Amino acid sequence: MSHISDKYEAVIGLEVHAQLATHSKLFCGDATTFGAAPNTQVSPITLGHPGTLPKTNKKAVEYAIKMGLACNCEIEQYNYFARKNYFYPDLPKGYQVSQHTTPICKGGYVTIKTGEETRNVQLNRIHLEEDAGKSIHDIDDQFTCVDYNRAGVPLIEIVTEPDLHSADEAYQYVTEVRRLVRWLNVCDGNMEEGSLRCDANVSIRLKGETKLGTKVEVKNLNSIRNVKKAIEYEIERMIALVEAGGTVKQQTRSFDAGNDTTFAIRDKEEANDYRYFAEPDLAPFHLSDTLISGIRESLPALPVALLAKYQTELGLSEYDAAQLCAEKETAHYYNQVLQHTQLYKAAANFINGPVKQYLNENKLGFEQFTVSPTQLAALLQLVEDGKVNFSVASSRILPAMIAAPEQDALQIATDMNLLQVSDTSELEQWVNIALESMPDKVTEYKKGKKGLIGLFVGEVKKLSKGKADPKLVTTLIQEKLK
Amino acid sequence: MNGTTTCVEAVHYYLEQIEANRHLNAFVEVFSAEAVESARYLDNLRSREGMTGKLHGVVIGIKDVISFKGHKLSASSRILEGFTAIYNASAVQYLLDEGAIIIGRQNCDEFAMGSSNENSAYGNVLNAADTSRVPGGSSGGSAVAVQAGLCMVSLGSDTGGSVRQPADFCGILGLKPSYGRISRYGLIAYASSFDQIGIFGINVDDIARVLEVMSGADEFDSTVNDAPVPSAAALNKPDEGIYKLAYFKESLEHPGLDPEIKASFEAFVKRLTAEGHTVEAVDFELLDYVVPTYYILTTAEASSNLSRYDGVKFGHRSGTAGDDLSVFYKQNRSEGFGKEVKRRIMLGTFVLSAGYYDAYYTKAQQVRQLLSQKTQAIFSQYNAILSPTVPSPAFRFGEKSNDPIEMFLADIYTVFANLVGIPGISLPLFKHSNGMPFGMQVMTSQMDEVTLLRLSKRLMHVNGAE
């Protein structure tokens, strides 16, 4: 079925701002704690008092390089900051210190997966800049209030080329960027608190056209869902507009999450001339090869690499591998467990299954999981050796280990009397009791209803409180009823 | 600065002098009680422990663009009316740590923009040598305070000559150190890549001692150079050296140069040659470009540096602004800034605007680059460059205030040092037939204040002044 929208192709570029998780601001020592009382993290430098000067936070530079290397960017070795000049009450100095012609990271890409397809979204740049303060319009009837705590917090702006073509791709891209910043510990990725913010540049053109259409910039997208909804709305709006004979105006628009629509906030003619020039208060800085290669070596294995490794080297399914790589903490824990066992699949199943379930139910993160990777590997070995079964391991032993992380798995299983019994004489007693309790079923079995074996094994399991090794029990029963 | 009187006596002396010279309008505020209290503390300290600080009891005035915690700071502008500094400039902190006494803040051109001190919200400063004449600017109050003996040393700031030019007009010494020599933290910015705190004094040794204390790396200013601090003790060694000196041929051929100043300069050169030094004219075909380049780049930076004075967080806020944000900004800034500051903000905004940027700002940056290369080449062959400090002696009030271009062109010999970051000093060597003093400028290569000050001492002796 052909649809009007099939005539058009959407072209989308995203600008993601990520607040860096440094303890102090980009150009001074003020704290960056989220949620502090208004204007308590403001030195004269943050407030732009006369005579104050910036001084670059090295950690922020390092974090920007980390993200750049993780996104396959080229790192600019000769760096300087630039002033972006405009007036706004939440901008204390009347200019924002940013980077203009020489971003610290150039080019690069982020790999995303949409459906079955994997592709690299091309980046234009990643640059460093300072955040502005926050204007608050709704706590006073008469005045706008400004909180400068956020002013000067380091940001990286990750800018794609116009290389995305659907709301879904944009959704995947932002998800991936959020995973990366969290993976690298450079940003907490919290969109609700504004640590991660996204602006979308959207345009449409007829399929086959190579020239870009007139773009609209949509601002204030404070969740990944909103990124998707805003782009969907914009594409539809533009197509309808063009189909009705209109033309798209270059505009800045804002997203209204209340009804999933966008509205214009200003036209191109009102655009600022930012009068960028090199920030004279900061000397240019050079990043040495040693510094960059040191940071490269310190990078953790990245999700894309781990995903491939888990599938090709460890033989995990794509689904299991993806589950493990969804968050850095999970993959990190899994990697540690692998140091102590070769039961790759069993470990993946156990972590993706009972462990995650426990953490989710208790709203905990992996960093709060008390069972050590060594202990978990030992528990998996007990299952593998038939000493406990999977269900006992997950429902009984795991909670006991969480409660007493200092004890080892075997000890707990023994103390709780949960080790499977493989002593045939003991098993035989349970088998006998079970078979004697249901003579009718035994007769039916003997007549050929072999499926009843499950019932007998189940009964033995019940009698043994789960300790009977089901494989042995099955063999025993089969022999007995021959 | 010889330590034979008590600090309290010294402070009282200067307070009396300030009182007796109120008409010069050099100080906008005198910290009388506080200065006496500091002096008493230092005298007690001295009786217990001796003179511990390098500047024990040195009475210093500071230009009203330098932040002194707990004191008003206004840049002689209405826009900072009522503003109190909440931290110490690094340079001020270093002075206090070595026992200096800050006696007051000094009048200047608004935001350090001007060459005559006629652009101050506090009114004109009068030249003590002839009160009908300007003291020069922008650090006019600081120069006159030293000229009239109202303090031992003054701190000014020099973006294009604002220390050397008033020193020339007032017959005292004025040093602009190398860019990056003294932390700018706490100095109100005019043009960040040009600004330096400068020092006024009546002899080279005083200046050297204050320079040593204020110099050096600072955790709050990453543009400070970490070269070794110039030691004042280096000046005590006898200097028998023969210097190789240059002057720009075009400087002396400049049509605006007063013939008497030219003649004095040439006569001085002859005497130096007679003493065995080499003094040679070098070609400097870029001279006509330095003033335009300077005004493009400094106004560009100033237009951005002065954006923070918007009435939102501090400073003047108009009573009639209303609800519209852009009206609010326009009212605050129109009422708060004076004419010259507005002129430079507009000029700077213009040269950075899309469409004009490359023709002005980019071009000027290229000229600045060329000037630096040319300067390095000269210093590979010469120890220092000499020139008149200003093309003409102190003029009368109102004489140039209606012609900004003529005012700008008076900076022709001084802006060069700021464009290329080298140190320069004006030495009070001459007297004009009209009775006014005038000086000679000496410049050395970047971070070579030691040569500059040693040579200055020699040159002062050539004229028998020191």
Side-chain angles (χ1 to χ4, degrees), chain A residues 43-45 47-56 83 85-95 142-143 146 148 273-283, chain B residues 73 80 83 86-87 179 184-188 192-193 218-223 300-301 303-305 307-310 312-314 325 329 333 349 352-354 357 361:
Chain A
S43 63
I45 302 176
L47 294 176
H49 270 218
T52 53
L53 297 172
K55 181 121 189 193
T56 309
R83 289 187 186 176
N85 295 284
Y86 66 96
F87 285 98
Y88 204 70
D90 62 20
L91 191 71
K93 301 185 293 291
Y95 54 84
Q142 227 188 327
F143 294 102
V146 192
Y148 292 105
D273 175 0
Y274 291 118
R275 309 190 320 275
Y276 284 98
F277 68 99
E279 162 61 294
D281 283 333
L282 289 165
Chain B
L73 176 66
L80 277 173
F83 179 78
I86 60 169
Y87 70 98
Y179 186 77
R184 290 182 295 116
Y185 188 72
L187 168 66
I188 290 185
S192 307
S193 72
D218 177 52
E219 59 168 323
F220 291 107
D221 180 359
S222 54
T223 64
E301 292 184 15
S303 71
S304 173
N305 283 331
S307 294
R308 66 189 62 195
Y309 308 105
D310 58 7
V312 173
K313 307 160 299 288
F314 49 76
L325 185 61
Y329 283 133
R333 290 165 65 83
T349 305
L352 286 173
S353 300
Y357 195 100
Y361 187 74

Side-chain angles (χ1 to χ4, degrees), chain A residues 158-178:
Chain A
I158 307 154
V159 185
T160 71
E161 294 291 351
D163 192 32
L164 294 149
H165 298 287
S166 69
D168 198 41
E169 279 193 346
Y171 183 92
Q172 294 304 330
Y173 169 79
V174 180
T175 307
E176 184 57 27
V177 167
R178 184 175 62 176

Side-chain angles (χ1 to χ4, degrees), chain A residues 385-435:
Chain A
D385 295 345
K387 292 193 172 134
V388 296
N389 68 41
F390 181 87
S391 119
V392 165
S394 57
S395 64
R396 309 280 314 270
I397 303 180
L398 181 65
M401 289 171 81
I402 290 165
E406 68 287 352
Q407 288 194 45
D408 73 70
L410 181 59
Q411 189 62 47
I412 288 175
T414 313
D415 290 353
M416 292 176 76
N417 200 17
L418 294 172
L419 284 179
Q420 297 202 96
V421 174
S422 45
D423 171 357
T424 349
S425 60
E426 204 171 329
L427 289 178
E428 251 186 71
Q429 285 180 24
W430 284 320
V431 168
N432 289 339
I433 295 168
L435 294 180

Side-chain angles (χ1 to χ4, degrees), chain B residues 28 123 132 193 199 205 253 308 364 437:
Chain B
V28 295
S132 72
S193 72
I199 307 163
D205 287 321
E253 287 167 1
R308 66 189 62 195

Side-chain angles (χ1 to χ4, degrees), chain B residues 94-117:
Chain B
Y94 296 154
L95 294 179
L96 295 173
D97 290 348
E98 293 294 341
I101 297 167
I102 308 231
I103 198 162
R105 57 188 174 105
Q106 296 159 330
N107 203 344
C108 58
D109 281 307
E110 184 180 6
F111 282 99
M113 296 176 182
S115 307
S116 62
N117 219 119

